[in-house]
Amino acid sequence: MRHCSVQVRGLLTRHELDRYNALMDVGSYLESQERYDLAYTIQQEVDLLILPAIERLKEKSRARDRATAEYLESLRPDEEEDDN
């Protein structure tokens, strides 16, 4: 079973995290029993479960990029005054 990143896991809601952990337990058990066909189905479910957290991570990144751009833009008038 493939785990998601720590960043994504940190953005899962409590309900999503509980479900994620349960699915990973089931998937690990199925792999230990060499039932890879069923473990694949569980992995697909995990992949669907983490999609909202991935979107939340992307939005945090976009917000950080916007804040950085605004900060850099706020420095521009100061630079122009220094040039004059």
Side-chain angles (χ1 to χ4, degrees):
M1 298 290 302
R2 289 185 330 267
H3 284 278
C4 65
S5 71
V6 173
Q7 293 89 349
V8 171
R9 251 180 283 162
L11 294 175
L12 291 171
T13 64
R14 172 52 51 195
H15 174 73
E16 290 169 339
L17 185 60
D18 290 344
R19 184 163 166 75
Y20 172 85
N21 289 330
L23 287 170
M24 292 307 286
D25 288 344
V26 170
S28 295
Y29 173 77
L30 290 170
E31 285 181 340
S32 73
Q33 300 298 309
E34 298 184 4
R35 293 301 311 263
Y36 300 107
D37 56 332
L38 297 175
Y40 175 76
T41 304
I42 298 296
Q43 183 65 57
Q44 287 180 315
E45 187 67 25
V46 168
D47 293 344
L48 289 174
L49 176 67
I50 64 173
L51 285 177
I54 291 171
E55 287 303 315
R56 289 190 284 271
L57 183 62
K58 287 179 184 178
E59 184 52 42
K60 279 181 69 173
S61 178
R62 288 184 205 112
R64 187 178 57 245
D65 290 346
R66 283 190 298 270
T68 300
E70 290 170 8
Y71 171 73
L72 293 174
E73 192 63 35
S74 73
L75 295 179
R76 281 191 174 235
D78 295 339
E79 289 176 0
E80 290 172 2
E81 289 175 9
D82 291 341
D83 289 341
N84 293 333

